[in-house]
Amino acid sequence: MADRGVDLAALPNEVREQLAELELELSEGDITQKGYEKKRAKLLAPFVPQTQNVVVSIKLTPGLSSDPTSNPNAIPVAAPRQHRAHRSGGTRDDRYRSDIHTEAVQAALARHKEEKMALPMPTKRRSAFVQSPAENCTPPDTSSASEDEGSLRRRQAAISAMLAQNLQSPEYWINRSVQSSSTSSSASSTLSHGDGKTHNHSQGQTSVIFLSTGVPAHSRVSTKIQQLLNTLKRPKRPPLSEFFLDDFEEIVEVPQPDPNTPRPEGRQMIPVKGEPLGVVSNWPPALQAALARWGATQAKSPALTALDITGKPLYTLTYGKLWSRSLKLAYTLLNKLGTKNEPVLKPGDRVALVYPNSDPGMFWVAFYGCLLAEVIPVPIEVPLSRKDAGSQQIGFLLGSCGVGLALTSEVCLKGLPKTQNGEIMQFKGWPRLKWVVTDTKYLTKPSKDWQPHLPTANTDTAYIEYKASKEGTVMGVAVSKISMLTHCQALTQACNYCEGETLVNVLDFKKDSGLWHGVLTSVMNRIHTISVPYSVMKACPLSWVQRVHVHKARVALVKCRDLHWAMMAHRDQKDTNLSSLRMLIVADGANPWSVSSCDAFLNVFQSHGLTPEMICPCASSPEAMTVAIRRPGAQGTPLPARAVLSMAGLSHGVIRVNTEDKNSALTVQDVGHVMPGALMCIVKPDGPPMLCKTDEIGEIVLNSRAGGTMYYGLPGVTKNTFEVIPVNSGGTPIGEVPFKRTGLLGFVGPGSLVFVVGKIEGLLSVSGRRHNADDLVATALAVEPVKTIYRGRIAVFSVTVFYDERVVIVAEQRPDANEEDSFQWMSRVLQAIDSIHQVGLYCLALVPANTLPKTPLGGIHVSETKQHFLEGSLHPCNILMCPHTCVTNLPKPRQKQPGIGPASIMVGNLVAGKRIAQASGRDLGLIDDQEQSRKHQFLSEALQWRAQTDPDQVLYMLLNAKGVAVSTATCSQLHKRAEKITAALLERGGINTGDNVVLLYPPGIDLIASFYGCLYAGCIPVTVRPPHPQNLAATLPTVRMIIDVSKAACILTTQTLMKILRSKEAAGCVNVKTWPNIIDTDDLPRKRPSNIYKPPTAEMLAYLDFSVSTTGMLTGVKISHSAVNALCRSIKLQCELYSSRQIAICMDPYCGLGFVLWCMSSVYSGHQSILIPPMELETSLPLWLSTLSQYKIRDTFCSYSVMELCTKGLGTQTEALKARGVNLSCVRSCVVIAEERPRLALTQSFSKLFKDLGLSPRAVSTAFGARVNLAICLQVGAKNVLPVHCLYRLLHALRLVERGAPQSLPLMESGTILPGMRVIIVNPETRGPLGDSHLGEIWVNSPHNASGYYTIYGEESLQGDHFNTRLSFGDTETLWARTGYLGFVRRTELLDARGDRHDALFVVGSLDETLELRGLRYHPIDIETSVSRAHRSITESAVFTWTNLLVVVVELNGSEQEALDLVPLVTNVVLKEHHLIVGVVVIVDPGVIPINSRGEKQRMHLRDSFLADQLDPIYVAYNM
């Protein structure tokens, strides 16, 4: 550990305080054990006694001599031949192979060997992976091996003891289920960190066996979560209090600079000069002139030999033919494509060259033809399909270069993708192109008087070479004629090219070294080029070696992969000889991992005449062209040195010799000296181009006449790259000459040798340290990937998540790899990268073989892969997310704040300097007509009175799916039907006054009649939603539970439902023999009761209202006759209801305000209600909207589920509805009835979608009710309070912010407070009133409050606490009811009816549902809203917590192969928007998340199902 040899007592005070803070964080579970150890080591590092001195010089190891055994320091070379025979070619990408590195990785992994990984493997549904054997589907549940057994037993014993205390008696749970506690913080913490008991209500109390970890024993999910917790070593957090202080400090914890970070100590570097560029008398004045000269004087001399697919010569192009064909093409381009007056091409126009890699001859002719015609060639890859990787970016290049014409060969044109009518397809993002075929038979011989213009090379653009940036954008680097010529001269001098030599080129001849050496310099020097295409290399990897042997080639131009492939295949060829070579140019020798390829190749081919001096690595970039190249050495001269560097030093951008840990060393070879005539500097890669120190890594910049001049058509980007003037440490420019950025990172070593350690585009900057993507690939490949990774195909990139770069590795998985091997490999890669590079991986994904986007030559297209990853279209088959280890900059958990107590100064209506947050509705007003008031004291009397005074007034009309009124009820019909039901109850039911009667009806008039029948009989009605006939198993137990809890004496229902209750299917779910007496009310005898019951007092119970809350709690409340009367009067006043009005109701009538509007309001106010059962919308979606239009309805009431159904189902059909005459301009108010925060996004979408049908944007509003009071707010008619935006997680005070502020949440007013209602916002902990715009619990006082919970045990403590409670200071006399919802009151500029300023009530969410994580309070809906935006295939999501872990369940509406794409996207969005790390991501099918009748998610039911392993998920990812 870091504190070895450190005297803790001697440490400075602030360090000791920081250590104590760390201990506290660990004990509270805010930091993982690993994070704790890292931070502790960092703090103590400055005080550990130092042992070794820093070495600034570079340790140089002599290069390999011809006898590899003679040098003890030499790099161990490839394994002996007999071992190599077993290694299959291509299973591993040996460009990155280094035996030293492999040893280092194995050593790093060996350290972890003792700790056998106990990572929970993801759970996968079998159909989601076809290729793996079934037994790997569910891993064995191993216990964590990260602790010794003793400590594990101790922990388990402790957990068992804790559980024993916490598991109360069964009665406790039943009480909890009946009277859902809406306020106590213990309730919310039990809900969010519950003990995993599943409430199986249908069989009464079930016995659940618990593991010592506190989860049901049969659940493998729970075991895995325990494994995950063990890997995080996270102790359970104590429950957090409600309110926390947040002084709005910087969100992100900024990592403190480590005093031990190595810093550069050398002097400032001096620019390095290449040798002067010599002047040779016979060098041509321009490249075209050289071609003209050889075409005339050496016409028979071979210029180019092309090979067929088998590797045999196909044709040879002589200099004479090359000249004559190029001349023909130039003439054709300028004179034959248009008319004489309107030529299609003029000198200076850009032309695309589209030729396949296998046809160099056509390309050469096209390229030189363009040069002779003075049009600018833009060589690009052949597009193979409409959606090629990067094809859109090529389109951007063609557009920015203004290309309108493409040259190609006849064969290539035939192979291009075509549309059905035979035209060439329009490629994505490409401009419209004219295609010209350049085969000789289509070219015209120039007329005798036509001669090409051959000017001396000048600064005009000669050609444009494409270049892809790190982000994937493709730009064109313009090369001028003088640059092209100078570069050829510099290469000729550096490589010592002679006239008539032979060169074998394996590289792509369209760009980079393949073009510069193999097409341009070769023509200048009359060299014979043998071009070996990529397709031949794939079929016969040794073909280039054979060509060198056959043609006695002097120079070969290759990449590391070609060395590797040839080495793998060399056994097939005994008699090759490479002694004719003087230069083997390794074009990607700048890759730090090239050194091992070169060594291994030399070792194999030394016996075939290869010598170490021949190997010439070079460094180049599209902008600067060739930067440096190792000159061919004379036989026997000592080889240049190697540098063995510390990777830790490199990550900080400094050069340190690796002394202490050979596992994290990087050996690099030089790339020779700077090019002739060039000047080189090393500058800092970010910020101003300041010169580096001699021991510092920086970007190489080059000043030379031979290089690109600009990004064509992009002047803005050009300046930053092509016109850089380095400055010294004081910030003054070192001269006037501009340098070009090369994009290469490196340094200048002894003897002015250039060393390259990586590229800017492969640079990953994580927490201030730099890592090279290639280095990470090499480490991943060194973790024996043979069983897992397909052909070594690995991509590494970084994504920005939560203010820092995070490393992502994506690899292709072999088709035969099994689940367990893959997971094992992934976990080992995590360890290896952590040990060697000291960087945490954010995500490691395996995708099926051959599915990553490819570059034209078969490599991985990294930017496109990254794009797929971020869009969620990568389709991994395995994924491992490790956000806990690499996200270390999360804000600190909030500290508790002293609440506002009685000590707060309260003056009049001010608390803590703010107006008290209270609001009230209008006065209910004195009732004028005494006679009428007596009749209206009970609702049953109101119905009798209406039946006498206005018997034919239609109160209710029920519509079916076709919009036809299937039944209506006038006052007298309803009264008579109620009387029949009363008679049946008294006769058949043997009912006593005060008995509870369950009403089990579909939405309709029968339900209303039986409600009044119960009132007439003196019974207490309990409405229950009927079970769903197709889903009895899920819906019938709830019916049974309400019947049992309410102790119902009988059930009133229809014949159909009665049959269902007694069916065999029902018997499978519940005990059907113990139903109470069931009375079917379909055919009742015409009897009247002898008398109608009148309650002795209005305080007696009218009915019971049962509802299942979103936390899965069943709660019944008692509603008295006086409350019914006051509520109906309040609604009548608010909605201006009277007998000539019509309203439409489309919602379920079983509880809350929906039941009041459906059954009672019309009888009280006399207006007509048109009833639309929501289930009818399933067969006829437009029913509700067309009813509003047909009956010219002013006011309508609906639920969120109805609104969502219309928004999703009718959003695209507004034109059709308009054509059918649907017009919603009559609607004054459309009120959504709910017991939750208003769903702003949904109401706004609804308003926007149906605006075209005349719906006023101000018509949609919301109502709000709770269990203690069924209707608190209800808004009819427009009162336009604009939505407010707030940072809602700051728990003590709400911070209102501008729209669009990050982390902000838009909230809309929850409707106008009803008449007779008073609302106050209270701190739920201190019970003191809060100030305006402060977040607290909503308390209410009104004549229509519920009387209390209906409970079988009569536990009175909750009763008093929730229904009759008082403030701790201020107005302590008033009795309030606690709603259990958080919200705030805000005074607005609008005026109400009394002329006062309007107080708006904003509901934020239920206290029961809040999740408390990291000391902040979260409402599940906010996290779910973010998650649902993460990917188009997410239809619904739900979140809950389990033992400190945030679990996100996501419904996938798409193919199962998209399931794993969602894991990183969900993790990213929650981290970015909520600063939380997701612990478990569960992907399920649509419809799995349970939703109640009001459209609210039942998150606790979901949690219980997940822990009991009943969800059948597609995939469960455990984020480590």
Side-chain angles (χ1 to χ4, degrees):
M1 284 228 29
D3 51 353
R4 253 184 229 149
V6 177
D7 178 8
L8 297 178
L11 292 173
N13 276 348
E14 67 257 29
V15 176
R16 297 217 311 258
E17 276 167 27
Q18 283 171 302
L19 283 174
E21 220 169 279
L22 264 184
E23 299 281 352
L24 182 68
E25 279 186 40
L26 180 68
S27 68
E28 292 197 342
D30 296 324
I31 187 173
T32 62
Q33 182 72 30
K34 193 166 187 186
Y36 162 77
E37 283 164 11
K38 269 192 178 172
K39 287 189 173 180
R40 180 180 164 89
K42 226 176 201 178
L43 281 173
L44 294 178
F47 310 100
V48 177
Q50 299 293 320
T51 50
Q52 77 272 7
N53 300 319
V54 177
V55 187
V56 182
S57 65
I58 295 176
K59 174 177 166 197
L60 299 171
T61 58
L64 281 181
S65 61
S66 55
D67 173 13
T69 55
S70 65
N71 181 355
N73 297 333
I75 288 179
V77 286
R81 195 182 252 179
Q82 64 269 26
H83 292 305
R84 203 180 301 109
H86 299 301
R87 196 188 302 138
S88 58
T91 51
R92 168 170 176 175
D93 192 339
D94 279 48
R95 279 177 298 168
Y96 298 112
R97 181 155 194 298
S98 150
D99 288 335
I100 282 194
H101 194 62
T102 307
E103 282 170 27
V105 170
Q106 298 310 331
L109 288 174
R111 295 181 200 154
H112 293 271
K113 269 280 165 54
E114 300 81 60
E115 318 164 18
K116 182 171 176 295
M117 289 288 271
L119 306 179
M121 250 180 79
T123 309
K124 212 182 244 193
R125 186 187 289 169
R126 303 219 163 158
S127 56
F129 58 102
V130 184
Q131 43 172 301
S132 304
E135 65 265 29
N136 302 316
C137 191
T138 309
D141 289 325
T142 51
S143 68
S144 164
S146 56
E147 307 169 74
D148 63 286
E149 279 190 349
S151 70
L152 194 67
R153 279 200 209 101
R154 284 196 297 278
R155 176 185 285 189
Q156 289 185 339
I159 292 174
S160 308
M162 185 180 74
L163 279 170
Q165 291 167 11
N166 288 353
L167 294 177
Q168 287 103 335
S169 59
E171 282 90 347
Y172 167 79
W173 281 98
I174 293 176
N175 292 349
R176 278 293 301 283
S177 70
V178 175
Q179 344 140 314
S180 144
S181 156
S182 58
T183 49
S184 59
S185 58
S186 65
S188 81
S189 64
T190 314
L191 290 172
S192 48
H193 314 293
D195 319 17
K197 246 194 181 178
T198 51
H199 308 299
N200 191 339
H201 300 291
S202 56
Q203 278 99 27
Q205 298 154 18
T206 56
S207 60
V208 181
I209 308 161
F210 276 72
L211 293 173
S212 59
T213 49
V215 290
H218 57 262
S219 159
R220 71 177 175 186
V221 169
S222 318
T223 321
K224 289 194 173 177
I225 290 186
Q226 194 55 44
Q227 271 180 282
L228 178 57
L229 287 171
N230 290 344
T231 62
L232 298 177
K233 285 194 176 171
R234 203 164 237 215
K236 192 167 158 76
R237 300 202 41 166
L240 290 156
S241 288
E242 305 282 341
F243 281 70
F244 292 81
L245 179 62
D246 184 329
D247 46 7
F248 310 126
E249 326 164 319
E250 191 57 28
I251 285 180
V252 183
E253 190 167 333
V254 182
Q256 296 306 310
D258 180 0
N260 279 3
T261 304
R263 287 185 170 71
E265 297 165 5
R267 55 179 173 73
Q268 189 174 296
M269 79 155 300
I270 299 161
V272 179
K273 259 190 175 161
E275 73 252 40
L277 185 59
V279 179
V280 178
S281 56
N282 67 348
W283 275 356
L287 204 55
Q288 303 92 304
L291 177 59
R293 173 181 163 196
W294 304 131
T297 63
Q298 301 278 347
K300 295 249 169 43
S301 179
L304 168 73
T305 298
L307 305 184
D308 65 10
I309 190 74
T310 61
K312 301 209 165 54
L314 184 63
Y315 61 80
T316 295
L317 193 66
T318 61
Y319 275 96
K321 279 186 191 160
L322 177 61
W323 166 247
S324 65
R325 287 182 192 174
S326 306
L327 213 54
K328 276 186 192 173
L329 177 62
Y331 178 73
T332 307
L333 289 178
L334 291 176
N335 300 295
K336 296 293 172 186
L337 291 185
T339 61
K340 197 165 190 182
N341 298 332
E342 283 188 26
V344 171
L345 277 182
K346 302 184 292 298
D349 285 353
R350 275 77 53 212
V351 174
L353 266 50
V354 186
Y355 293 92
N357 196 271
S358 54
D359 196 354
M362 294 293 285
F363 175 81
W364 279 43
V365 170
F367 191 89
Y368 280 104
C370 288
L371 290 186
L372 289 172
E374 292 192 279
V375 298
I376 300 170
V378 185
I380 59 169
E381 305 302 336
V382 178
L384 299 175
S385 73
R386 180 163 154 58
K387 286 188 176 166
D388 264 6
S391 121
Q392 202 167 349
Q393 280 77 14
I394 293 284
F396 172 75
L397 164 79
L398 298 176
S400 65
C401 295
V403 173
L405 194 81
L407 306 186
T408 188
S409 65
E410 194 167 19
V411 177
C412 183
L413 190 75
K414 281 180 184 162
L416 289 176
K418 310 276 192 305
T419 58
Q420 283 166 334
N421 43 6
E423 292 172 7
I424 288 171
M425 194 175 274
Q426 178 64 27
F427 297 107
K428 195 176 170 191
W430 284 36
R432 288 218 164 274
L433 293 181
K434 286 198 178 90
W435 293 82
V436 175
V437 175
T438 60
D439 292 55
T440 317
K441 58 184 173 187
Y442 300 113
L443 301 181
T444 314
K445 200 173 179 185
S447 55
K448 292 204 173 108
D449 58 343
W450 185 83
Q451 279 300 320
H453 180 49
L454 297 177
T456 305
N458 55 18
T459 54
D460 294 348
T461 302
Y463 71 93
I464 293 171
E465 182 173 319
Y466 80 83
K467 173 247 164 127
S469 72
K470 184 179 181 178
E471 289 73 38
T473 44
V474 175
M475 301 179 285
V477 176
V479 179
S480 69
K481 293 171 180 171
I482 189 76
S483 298
M484 178 170 73
L485 184 69
T486 311
H487 188 227
C488 291
Q489 293 167 349
L491 284 177
T492 303
Q493 182 173 325
C495 301
N496 203 4
Y497 281 127
C498 306
E499 221 179 285
E501 282 189 314
T502 305
L503 175 145
V504 172
N505 176 24
V506 190
L507 307 184
D508 180 3
F509 49 70
K510 294 189 281 296
K511 55 191 275 250
D512 291 338
S513 301
L515 174 67
W516 308 328
H517 290 263
V519 180
L520 306 179
T521 310
S522 59
V523 166
M524 187 175 115
N525 292 294
R526 194 175 64 80
I527 286 170
H528 176 197
T529 303
I530 290 118
S531 189
V532 183
Y534 181 64
S535 52
V536 172
M537 285 295 294
K538 269 166 71 174
C540 170
L542 210 59
S543 53
W544 71 268
V545 177
Q546 291 160 353
R547 289 298 109 203
V548 170
H549 169 71
V550 170
H551 293 274
K552 301 275 183 285
R554 303 283 288 138
V555 181
L557 191 57
V558 297
K559 282 192 168 180
C560 291
R561 60 145 204 252
D562 309 315
L563 300 181
H564 163 59
W565 285 2
M567 198 169 67
M568 285 296 165
H570 95 284
R571 293 184 307 284
D572 314 337
Q573 196 72 34
K574 300 285 183 285
D575 54 352
T576 46
N577 190 340
L578 300 181
S579 57
S580 63
L581 280 180
R582 59 182 187 81
M583 263 190 114
L584 177 62
I585 300 174
V586 184
D588 57 353
N591 176 342
W593 299 97
S594 64
V595 58
S596 48
S597 293
C598 294
D599 290 347
F601 184 77
L602 176 63
N603 180 52
V604 171
F605 282 94
Q606 212 153 6
S607 55
H608 296 263
L610 187 71
T611 62
E613 302 80 47
M614 295 175 185
I615 297 177
C616 299
C618 75
S620 62
S621 83
E623 292 83 359
M625 297 162 85
T626 310
V627 174
I629 188 166
R630 195 188 288 172
R631 314 299 194 255
Q635 185 80 35
T637 51
L639 273 182
R642 303 259 167 94
V644 182
L645 306 176
S646 147
M647 276 205 190
L650 288 176
S651 75
H652 291 290
V654 297
I655 303 158
R656 289 289 176 271
V657 173
N658 188 60
T659 48
E660 66 285 345
D661 183 4
K662 73 167 189 165
N663 289 343
S664 53
L666 180 68
T667 304
V668 284
Q669 64 180 351
D670 69 284
V671 287
H673 292 93
V674 186
M675 289 295 284
L679 185 64
M680 176 194 284
C681 293
I682 312 285
V683 299
K684 292 190 187 294
D686 24 48
M690 192 182 288
L691 284 179
C692 287
K693 295 185 174 169
T694 48
D695 63 339
E696 194 172 2
I697 304 284
E699 184 178 6
I700 297 173
V701 294
L702 204 67
N703 165 261
S704 159
R705 267 174 65 192
T709 50
M710 60 176 164
Y711 291 128
Y712 198 93
L714 303 168
V717 204
T718 294
K719 193 165 178 58
N720 203 10
T721 305
F722 291 89
E723 299 166 28
V724 174
I725 298 193
V727 296
N728 60 22
S729 53
T732 51
I734 59 164
E736 310 248 314
V737 291
F739 284 70
K740 298 176 187 72
R741 290 185 182 274
T742 63
L744 300 175
L745 294 169
F747 61 94
V748 178
S752 298
L753 286 172
V754 180
F755 289 85
V756 175
V757 295
K759 293 182 178 171
I760 291 272
E761 64 184 41
L763 197 64
L764 314 174
S765 265
V766 182
S767 306
R769 291 179 70 172
R770 306 202 288 239
H771 303 277
N772 191 335
D774 285 345
D775 298 350
L776 296 175
V777 171
T779 300
L781 279 169
V783 179
E784 285 304 314
V786 178
K787 280 199 260 180
T788 313
I789 302 307
Y790 179 68
R791 297 200 165 166
R793 290 173 60 78
I794 296 181
V796 174
F797 52 86
S798 64
V799 293
T800 306
V801 182
F802 197 65
Y803 310 103
D804 200 357
E805 295 291 300
R806 314 286 175 197
V807 182
V808 177
I809 295 187
V810 181
E812 288 188 1
Q813 177 176 303
R814 286 173 57 122
D816 56 350
N818 71 35
E819 219 53 15
E820 207 161 317
D821 286 344
S822 302
F823 194 71
Q824 197 58 38
W825 181 79
M826 290 159 90
S827 40
R828 290 172 62 108
V829 168
L830 290 181
Q831 295 168 344
I833 286 181
D834 189 50
S835 293
I836 288 175
H837 302 274
Q838 282 95 50
V839 63
L841 281 190
Y842 180 66
C843 176
L844 182 48
L846 296 179
V847 299
N850 273 322
T851 55
L852 287 180
K854 292 180 178 172
T855 59
L857 291 183
I860 296 173
H861 199 298
V862 178
S863 61
E864 199 93 344
T865 302
K866 176 175 173 176
Q867 199 52 40
H868 285 331
F869 175 80
L870 292 172
E871 285 170 357
S873 54
L874 199 58
H875 307 330
C877 47
N878 270 310
I879 198 159
L880 194 52
M881 299 282 302
C882 309
H884 291 94
T885 46
C886 68
V887 179
T888 52
N889 60 337
L890 280 175
K892 282 185 177 162
R894 300 286 176 248
Q895 302 304 310
K896 193 179 169 199
Q897 165 218 359
I900 295 173
S904 301
I905 297 180
M906 191 164 169
V907 184
N909 271 355
L910 296 180
V911 57
K914 286 207 168 202
R915 191 186 73 82
I916 287 186
Q918 57 185 355
S920 55
R922 293 185 290 164
D923 289 338
L924 266 174
L926 297 166
I927 299 165
D928 350 307
D929 183 355
Q930 289 306 308
E931 189 62 34
Q932 195 172 335
S933 114
R934 258 205 325 280
K935 282 179 187 153
H936 282 61
Q937 193 180 5
F938 300 106
L939 213 50
S940 51
E941 292 181 325
L943 178 55
Q944 293 166 53
W945 175 73
R946 285 196 185 282
Q948 286 165 4
T949 56
D950 196 356
D952 299 327
Q953 154 82 354
V954 178
L955 287 181
Y956 293 106
M957 184 194 298
L958 180 74
L959 302 185
N960 67 5
K962 292 177 180 164
V964 176
V966 280
S967 67
T968 57
T970 61
C971 300
S972 73
Q973 283 169 336
L974 187 62
H975 168 63
K976 284 174 185 166
R977 179 129 180 86
E979 282 189 323
K980 282 189 204 171
I981 290 171
T982 307
L985 264 176
L986 297 172
E987 252 181 51
R988 290 196 231 162
I991 296 291
N992 300 318
T993 304
D995 278 354
N996 296 343
V997 175
V998 162
L999 313 183
L1000 200 64
Y1001 290 95
I1005 293 172
D1006 281 351
L1007 174 68
I1008 303 168
S1010 48
F1011 174 76
Y1012 288 100
C1014 287
L1015 295 187
Y1016 284 3
C1019 309
I1020 295 165
V1022 181
T1023 48
V1024 180
R1025 159 190 300 280
H1028 196 292
Q1030 269 79 51
N1031 193 4
L1032 287 179
T1035 53
L1036 195 57
T1038 310
V1039 175
R1040 178 84 225 197
M1041 187 165 61
I1042 297 176
I1043 290 170
D1044 292 349
V1045 167
S1046 64
K1047 295 264 182 78
C1050 86
I1051 301 171
L1052 293 180
T1053 186
T1054 63
Q1055 259 176 11
T1056 321
L1057 282 168
M1058 188 159 103
K1059 284 177 188 162
I1060 288 174
L1061 290 184
R1062 292 184 168 150
S1063 66
K1064 277 186 189 169
E1065 291 80 5
C1069 315
V1070 297
N1071 183 353
V1072 296
K1073 291 177 182 164
T1074 56
W1075 289 123
N1077 187 4
I1078 302 177
I1079 300 174
D1080 120 51
T1081 57
D1082 283 358
D1083 302 311
L1084 291 175
R1086 295 191 170 183
K1087 283 190 178 172
R1088 292 182 60 184
S1090 50
N1091 69 324
I1092 290 177
Y1093 175 78
K1094 180 181 176 184
T1097 153
E1099 296 313 313
M1100 288 191 68
L1101 277 195
Y1103 72 99
L1104 294 179
D1105 188 302
F1106 272 93
S1107 161
V1108 179
S1109 76
T1110 52
T1111 51
M1113 298 295 180
L1114 174 70
T1115 320
V1117 288
K1118 301 185 285 195
I1119 310 291
S1120 67
H1121 287 282
S1122 62
V1124 167
N1125 203 26
L1127 178 53
C1128 289
R1129 177 164 177 73
S1130 190
I1131 292 172
K1132 176 180 178 173
L1133 280 174
Q1134 187 84 322
C1135 302
E1136 302 163 3
L1137 299 174
Y1138 33 86
S1139 49
S1140 58
R1141 293 284 301 282
Q1142 248 186 345
I1143 65 169
I1145 302 171
C1146 184
M1147 59 192 301
D1148 276 329
Y1150 297 108
C1151 60
L1153 186 51
F1155 177 58
V1156 175
L1157 289 166
W1158 189 281
C1159 283
M1160 301 176 223
S1161 203
S1162 275
V1163 169
Y1164 183 90
S1165 307
H1167 61 273
Q1168 184 185 344
S1169 295
I1170 297 175
L1171 308 176
I1172 306 165
M1175 58 189 179
E1176 301 292 0
L1177 264 64
E1178 288 173 20
T1179 43
S1180 168
L1181 260 180
L1183 172 64
W1184 174 45
L1185 299 182
S1186 51
T1187 304
L1188 299 181
S1189 169
Q1190 182 186 341
Y1191 292 93
K1192 304 264 184 295
I1193 300 289
R1194 278 183 69 190
D1195 299 318
T1196 180
F1197 300 87
C1198 70
S1199 62
Y1200 277 123
S1201 38
V1202 166
M1203 187 170 269
E1204 191 161 21
L1205 210 58
C1206 292
T1207 308
K1208 285 183 177 169
L1210 296 174
T1212 52
Q1213 297 174 33
T1214 45
E1215 288 306 313
L1217 290 171
K1218 213 178 200 172
R1220 281 169 50 184
V1222 175
N1223 181 355
L1224 301 180
S1225 55
C1226 54
V1227 177
R1228 173 184 72 156
S1229 51
C1230 166
V1231 186
V1232 193
I1233 306 294
E1235 294 186 8
E1236 58 174 298
R1237 177 205 300 173
R1239 300 188 197 173
L1240 185 61
L1242 178 58
T1243 52
Q1244 285 180 339
S1245 306
F1246 183 80
S1247 300
K1248 278 181 194 159
L1249 281 173
F1250 300 110
K1251 185 177 70 178
D1252 294 350
L1253 299 181
L1255 182 68
S1256 156
R1258 297 171 64 181
V1260 180
S1261 64
T1262 59
F1264 170 65
R1267 292 285 73 205
V1268 295
N1269 187 309
L1270 303 182
I1272 297 166
C1273 303
L1274 178 63
Q1275 184 167 322
V1276 172
K1279 179 180 261 105
N1280 228 3
V1281 175
L1282 290 172
V1284 297
H1285 295 261
C1286 60
L1287 300 179
Y1288 65 96
R1289 285 191 324 246
L1290 312 177
L1291 299 184
H1292 61 292
L1294 212 81
R1295 184 178 174 196
L1296 299 181
V1297 289
E1298 292 300 312
R1299 181 179 173 178
Q1303 315 299 324
S1304 71
L1305 166 79
L1307 290 174
M1308 80 189 238
E1309 184 190 11
S1310 293
T1312 310
I1313 294 168
L1314 279 167
M1317 168 74 64
R1318 287 175 62 198
V1319 171
I1320 190 163
I1321 305 296
V1322 178
N1323 179 330
E1325 217 177 37
T1326 63
R1327 303 199 177 198
L1330 287 171
D1332 189 279
S1333 297
H1334 274 56
L1335 188 64
E1337 189 184 0
I1338 301 167
W1339 287 16
V1340 293
N1341 166 282
S1342 111
H1344 63 260
N1345 278 3
S1347 320
Y1349 288 128
Y1350 179 81
T1351 163
I1352 32 182
Y1353 292 106
E1355 190 179 296
E1356 297 306 322
S1357 61
L1358 282 178
Q1359 206 81 328
D1361 185 42
H1362 288 191
F1363 291 89
N1364 302 302
T1365 191
R1366 289 184 164 91
L1367 292 172
S1368 59
F1369 63 97
D1371 168 10
T1372 53
E1373 296 309 306
T1374 310
L1375 287 178
W1376 299 90
R1378 302 178 61 174
T1379 63
Y1381 280 83
L1382 288 171
F1384 59 97
V1385 165
R1386 182 164 185 254
R1387 181 150 277 191
T1388 65
E1389 298 303 314
L1390 297 172
L1391 299 180
D1392 60 19
R1394 296 171 302 217
D1396 298 333
R1397 277 170 67 188
H1398 169 66
D1399 292 315
L1401 174 65
F1402 293 86
V1403 175
V1404 174
S1406 158
L1407 253 173
D1408 267 3
E1409 284 211 323
T1410 53
L1411 313 173
E1412 293 208 344
L1413 294 159
R1414 300 185 50 76
L1416 290 173
R1417 184 188 285 118
Y1418 293 86
H1419 293 273
I1421 183 72
D1422 301 315
I1423 300 177
E1424 288 158 3
T1425 304
S1426 300
V1427 167
S1428 296
R1429 282 201 310 268
H1431 191 272
R1432 63 184 179 281
S1433 299
I1434 297 176
T1435 50
E1436 191 52 273
S1437 62
V1439 301
F1440 52 83
T1441 53
W1442 175 248
T1443 54
N1444 258 340
L1445 292 174
L1446 178 65
V1447 180
V1448 178
V1449 181
V1450 170
E1451 287 184 357
L1452 167 71
N1453 182 18
S1455 69
E1456 287 188 356
Q1457 64 173 22
E1458 287 183 355
L1460 279 77
D1461 284 313
L1462 307 183
V1463 177
L1465 297 183
V1466 166
T1467 308
N1468 291 358
V1469 77
V1470 176
L1471 191 53
K1472 179 181 163 194
E1473 296 186 9
H1474 302 277
H1475 307 170
L1476 286 176
I1477 293 177
V1478 176
V1480 184
V1481 181
V1482 187
I1483 316 287
V1484 295
D1485 296 311
V1488 167
I1489 295 171
I1491 285 178
N1492 69 12
S1493 56
R1494 297 190 299 274
E1496 298 163 342
K1497 294 170 197 164
Q1498 303 285 285
R1499 296 182 185 89
M1500 290 305 113
H1501 283 326
L1502 179 69
R1503 188 184 79 169
D1504 294 342
S1505 304
F1506 171 63
L1507 293 168
D1509 210 6
Q1510 292 164 353
L1511 288 186
D1512 184 27
I1514 299 169
Y1515 192 82
V1516 182
Y1518 300 93
N1519 286 351
M1520 295 178 354

